[in-house]
Every structure is written in structure tokens, then in C-alpha cells.
Amino acid sequence: MLYVPGSNSRAIDKAQELPVDAVILDLEDSVAPDHKLAARTQVEAVLESAEFGHREVVVRVNAMDTPWGKSDLAAVASLPISAVLIPKLESERQLEACRGALHMGGAKDNLPFWIMAETPRGILNLRTILESDQPIAAIVMGTADLAKNMGIPRGSERAGLRSTLEHCVLVARAFGVSALDGVETDLNDPERFESACLEGKQMGFDGKTLIHPNQVATANKVFGVTTEQIAQAIKIVEAWKTAPEDTGVMVVDGDMVEALHYEQALKTLADNREIGKRGKDDE
Ligand code: COA
Ligand code: MG
């Protein structure tokens, strides 16, 4: 999921060509106060005509306690987007206020929220936020803000945030929403970027938020499905399907396989089909 500053028209153009699953048009942290209104107008104009193809488009608005939050929400309410990303969210009540502002702009009740997990209080309250009846589709880690709020020095974010990242994946899974890992700001260290992607994948994150086109290929590789994983999944599915009906456990290539592994293999194949479909409109 690639962030693009709403004020940067060149980057917005470029994002429409990149092999990403989602483009997050940002009106918040990457836009300077003096450019907030122009960025919003530009995002509105872009969404009237741009071609994002298979890419989901999400707009990150400013928080409700800023001078722009309410009118950002009213402005994006009628745009053709997949979700609105709410920053610095700390309570169910704030999310209700966001819903109110969307309503004022004429949004449908079911326009989903993506929510940033980036303040200690917001993370402690994730459970009650997700228990609200608001349509929430994803938790997005705001690792830069979170590290700042927690007092973690720059460069040590992954180590300092480990248990918090794991906690947020747990909450996402408990409520059946997607979990998206935070950004890496160091653009000069591709190895460090790849190991951060791998760490997120191992924790169970569904994908990663990105800030630069150079990060896209690695993220797609790590969060996608490898040919070995596909081959293994096909073996498991074949073995399970051809086994006698009362089979509860079997061995495939020296590995114990139960119904849950069969289900995991089916998911791997379904994910692979979905990723395949997503490339089609660029051909
Ligand atoms: N999305 C799409 N295209 C992007 C991009 C992005 N996030 N970041 C850079 N590009 C494009 C540039 O426009 C440039 O295109 P061009 O070759 O056609 O001119 C190309 O990629 C190379 O960019 P580069 O010169 O390496 O980067 P930069 O110095 O212009 O910008 C950043 C670096 C970090 C300022 C920029 O990548 C950026 O704004 N990223 C997103 C920041 C953001 O949204 N933050 C909020 C969430 S944390
Ligand atoms: Mg932020």
C-alpha cells in the first residue's frame, strides 16, 4: 500500500502505473499546513478522472482535532474510494464523529474506515474501537508516530515496537480485519527494508505500507506467494482430496498435515489467484 502526498501531482500520476494493491492519497503528515487546501482540491480533482485500475484508492484525512479534519471528511465522502484512513485515532467516540462528518458530506453508511494505530492510548483502546458498529476494514500501523510517542529512538523502531506490532495483529485477527505494517523511512538501506518486510510477514501482517516506488518490488515479493509455496499448497490439496474420507491426519513430504493445513493451502492458492488478477489491467 503506497502512500502518496496529496500535494504531489507527479507522484500521484506515477502511482497509477505502479504494481501496488492500494494507493493511499495522503492529506495528513506528508502535506505542509500551507498546502492542505490545495492538496485536498487536487485529490478531489484526481479522483474524478484518474485511472487506478485494480488499485484500491484510500484517502488519509487529517485528524478531527485539526482545522482540516472535518472538511476533509466531508470532501472525500462522495469520492470513488475504497476507504477513508483515519489518523491518530484514540476512541470509538472520535470514530463516531468522523462518521458524522462523512454523513454531512453525503457518504454512504458502509464506506469503510481504515484506522491508524499510532498512539499508545489508541492502541490500548483498539478493542473497544473495533467492538463499535462502525465498518472498519484495516488496522494500519503508524510506526513513525508511535515510536515518537513511545520515546523509541530513530533507527530502533522495529526492536522497540515489536510487542506492540504483535498485539495489533492479534487484535486485527480477533475482529477479522486486515493488518498492515508501518513504513520504513530509510530509503538507502534495501537490506534493512527487506528484513523489516520479512519480520512483518512473520508476525502475520497482510501487507506493508510504503513511501517510495523503490520499495514496491521487495514488499510484493515478501508479502506475495512464492512458486515453492504454490507447489507445496498444490501437493497438500491433492493429497488431502485423494485421501480416504475419514482421514484426520497424514504426512506430505515429511510434514504432518491436518485439515487446518489443507485450509491454509487453499488460502495460499486463493491469494495467488487474486494477485494474478490484479496484474491483468496493466497488461
Ligand atoms: N508515490 C509515487 N511516486 C513517488 C513516490 C510515491 N510515494 N515517491 C517518489 N515518487 C516518484 C518521484 O515522483 C520520482 O518520479 P520521477 O522519476 O518521475 O520524477 C521518482 O519516484 C523518484 O523519486 P525520488 O527522487 O527518489 O524521491 P523524492 O526525493 O522525490 O521523494 C520522498 C522522496 C520520501 C519525499 C517521497 O518518496 C514521498 O513523498 N513519499 C511519500 C511520503 C508520504 O506519503 N508520507 C506519509 C506516510 S508516512
Ligand atoms: Mg503520522
Side-chain angles (χ1 to χ4, degrees), residues 13-82:
D13 285 347
K14 193 158 183 126
Q16 293 165 54
E17 312 270 302
L18 294 168
V20 295
D21 293 317
V23 174
I24 305 174
L25 297 169
D26 187 29
L27 301 177
E28 202 224 5
D29 281 346
S30 68
V31 179
D34 287 352
H35 294 125
K36 294 284 189 194
L37 298 184
R40 185 201 293 154
T41 308
Q42 172 157 272
V43 163
E44 287 179 276
V46 161
L47 287 175
E48 265 165 33
S49 59
E51 297 282 345
F52 285 91
H54 69 270
R55 298 162 198 81
E56 287 187 51
V57 179
V58 174
V59 176
R60 183 166 76 171
V61 294
N62 288 284
M64 280 292 270
D65 61 358
T66 67
W68 313 282
K70 206 169 172 184
S71 14
D72 281 352
L73 282 160
V76 303
S78 55
L79 297 177
I81 53 178
S82 298

Side-chain angles (χ1 to χ4, degrees), residues 132-148:
S132 72
D133 52 7
Q134 299 286 348
I136 298 172
I139 296 175
V140 183
M141 297 312 306
T143 41
D145 271 289
L146 194 53
K148 172 179 162 257

Side-chain angles (χ1 to χ4, degrees), residues 266 268-278:
L266 288 178
T268 300
L269 298 178
D271 285 349
N272 185 51
R273 276 195 300 276
E274 191 60 34
I275 291 167
K277 268 192 249 161
R278 292 195 155 207

Side-chain angles (χ1 to χ4, degrees), residues 126-165:
L126 268 182
R127 180 175 176 164
T128 48
I129 293 171
L130 280 142
E131 276 169 349
S132 72
D133 52 7
Q134 299 286 348
I136 298 172
I139 296 175
V140 183
M141 297 312 306
T143 41
D145 271 289
L146 194 53
K148 172 179 162 257
N149 292 330
M150 305 261 290
I152 297 166
R154 262 198 111 165
S156 305
E157 289 89 348
R158 297 304 297 186
L161 291 177
R162 191 175 174 97
S163 64
T164 311
L165 291 165

Side-chain angles (χ1 to χ4, degrees), residues 2-6 8-16 18 23-26 28-31 60 116 144-145 183 185 187 209-214:
L2 178 67
Y3 282 104
V4 186
N8 185 340
S9 62
R10 196 173 169 101
I12 295 175
D13 285 347
K14 193 158 183 126
Q16 293 165 54
L18 294 168
V23 174
I24 305 174
L25 297 169
D26 187 29
E28 202 224 5
D29 281 346
S30 68
V31 179
R60 183 166 76 171
M116 300 288 307
D145 271 289
V183 302
T185 56
L187 296 171
T209 48
L210 311 175
I211 54 164
H212 193 280
N214 287 352

